Amino acid sequence: MFSRIQTTKSTENISDNIEKLKEKIRTADAVVIGAGAGLSTSAGFTYSGERFEKYFSDFRQKYGFEDMYSGGFYPYQTLDEYWAYWSRYIFVNRYQDAPKPIYENLLKLVAEKDYFVITTNVDHCFQKAGFDKKRLFYTQGDYGLFQCSEPCCWETFDNEAIVLEMLNRQKDMKIPTELLPVCPHCGKPLTMNLRSDDKFVEDEGWHRAAERYENFLRTRAGEKILFLELGVGYNTPVIIKYPFWQMTAKNSKAVYACVNFGEAFCPKQIQSQAICINIDIHNFLRSNKANISIAKPWLFLIIIYNFHY
């Protein structure tokens, strides 16, 4: 097991590490970016404070919770109330654009390159920013998809039309009962396609994306790979951190880089191969979007690998 150790040295400042990272991007054969929830938070998708008050002040006053996450777990008495909350939640966190152009700035770095996106984020920000759908792998689901709650089938359902209707027709924090979503196959209630237990549906599209990722990584084994981790916390390290650390340790040509305000660290076992930058991702991408020159062709792979360490 790797230990959690801060790697930033007192003799190195943020600017020095940014320059080192830019050089690694220039010289890498492939760049593997692991994107966690912090990336969307930095883009302005916050779940408390002013944004929560703007969209959910009526729910706060009635039910007493103080952030969107808490509202998602509240024990509503009826499905009419439950879907009034969740339709609004899905709309503001999936179908609205992020306040800051982090994902657009990231795309500018990779738009003309061979890249692949795999992420645990479920807000669809990569695709909304213009990333190629065939280069995306959402390992943990998508707010834009429903699935059977049973589940009776390994199928997901686009929810934009019904979510917008729920949003437009809800009144007094309830939706009309006839709008309650049910599985077209068994009639059981539909739920969000989010990985929270063993009922998460990995549909055909999920498996195709997983195969594309695995093929990409396998065919580039042994190359100079930069594992670039953006906005990944320590809640679920087996999904991103540990796989990145492990793959870096197994490849002497690899480099692990972490950009995350307040949580940029790595284990001492790979410290000589690591670059950790304690800076907000928005500021990092904004300051570097136009000044990373390309010395030779390189690849970006944006990845969070569903890896059990």
Side-chain angles (χ1 to χ4, degrees):
M1 174 64 70
F2 289 114
S3 58
R4 173 177 173 173
I5 296 179
Q6 177 74 30
T7 63
T8 303
K9 298 178 181 179
S10 59
T11 57
E12 297 176 334
N13 58 37
I14 289 177
S15 296
D16 291 336
N17 280 331
I18 288 176
E19 290 303 314
K20 287 182 180 181
L21 178 53
K22 289 163 59 178
E23 179 62 22
K24 293 303 179 182
I25 291 174
R26 293 189 187 99
T27 60
D29 297 320
V31 180
V32 181
I33 300 179
L39 185 64
S40 287
T41 299
S42 187
F45 267 174
T46 55
Y47 292 83
S48 60
E50 182 179 348
R51 189 166 179 265
F52 169 73
E53 187 67 23
K54 178 180 179 180
Y55 295 110
F56 294 98
S57 60
D58 52 348
F59 279 88
R60 178 185 60 77
Q61 293 173 5
K62 181 175 181 178
Y63 299 104
F65 49 77
E66 297 291 336
D67 59 75
M68 296 186 205
Y69 284 123
S70 300
F73 290 99
Y74 188 87
Y76 300 98
Q77 294 185 356
T78 68
L79 288 175
D80 299 356
E81 298 169 272
Y82 175 87
W83 280 112
Y85 178 81
W86 270 102
S87 60
R88 198 184 304 183
Y89 182 105
I90 293 169
F91 175 74
V92 301
N93 294 309
R94 169 62 169 77
Y95 294 111
Q96 286 192 337
D97 293 332
K100 299 177 184 178
I102 273 190
Y103 288 87
E104 290 80 1
N105 290 342
L106 189 56
L107 178 59
K108 290 176 182 179
L109 297 179
V110 304
E112 297 181 1
K113 309 301 172 182
D114 183 18
Y115 68 84
F116 196 99
V117 177
I118 180 169
T119 177
T120 54
N121 293 345
V122 296
D123 50 28
H124 212 62
C125 283
F126 283 108
Q127 194 166 333
K128 286 187 292 185
F131 285 83
D132 186 349
K133 182 179 180 179
K134 293 183 179 179
R135 296 173 179 266
L136 300 176
F137 180 22
Y138 296 98
T139 63
Q140 305 301 90
D142 184 345
Y143 284 144
L145 297 175
F146 286 161
Q147 66 168 68
C148 178
S149 58
E150 185 66 19
C152 71
C153 59
W154 295 100
E155 185 178 354
T156 57
F157 311 94
D158 292 335
N159 65 23
E160 183 174 10
I162 185 63
V163 164
L164 292 178
E165 189 171 3
M166 289 179 185
L167 185 71
N168 292 329
R169 294 180 61 188
Q170 65 179 251
K171 184 178 180 181
D172 298 327
M173 288 162 281
K174 295 181 180 181
I175 67 165
T177 302
E178 64 266 23
L179 294 184
L180 294 177
V182 296
C183 177
H185 302 298
C186 71
K188 295 287 182 64
L190 290 177
T191 188
M192 281 70 65
N193 180 232
L194 305 175
R195 189 186 299 278
S196 59
D197 54 31
D198 59 0
K199 292 185 177 182
F200 174 70
V201 169
E202 297 174 357
D203 63 8
E204 183 179 354
W206 189 98
H207 285 284
R208 286 199 303 267
E211 184 178 1
R212 287 193 294 266
Y213 154 68
E214 291 168 358
N215 287 339
F216 187 98
L217 198 58
R218 183 178 63 254
T219 56
R220 288 152 181 82
E223 295 183 359
K224 291 192 294 183
I225 301 177
L226 172 63
F227 293 100
L228 178 57
E229 181 187 295
L230 299 175
V232 177
Y234 215 77
N235 290 329
T236 54
V238 297
I239 297 176
I240 307 168
K241 286 188 181 295
Y242 293 168
F244 273 27
W245 293 351
Q246 189 176 55
M247 288 186 284
T248 300
K250 290 181 177 179
N251 181 356
S252 61
K253 298 179 181 179
V255 172
Y256 167 78
C258 177
V259 181
N260 198 358
F261 184 66
E263 294 192 55
F265 55 84
C266 81
K268 63 181 181 181
Q269 291 91 333
I270 60 169
Q271 189 168 1
S272 63
Q273 297 172 257
I275 303 171
C276 295
I277 304 176
N278 184 20
I279 188 175
D280 183 89
I281 303 167
H282 171 65
N283 293 333
F284 170 75
L285 289 173
R286 182 175 58 182
S287 64
N288 288 279
K289 62 182 179 180
N291 61 0
I292 296 181
S293 61
I294 308 302
K296 66 178 183 178
W298 48 272
L299 305 173
F300 259 86
L301 170 63
I302 301 174
I303 163 182
I304 296 172
Y305 181 39
N306 186 22
F307 184 98
H308 296 287
Y309 179 75

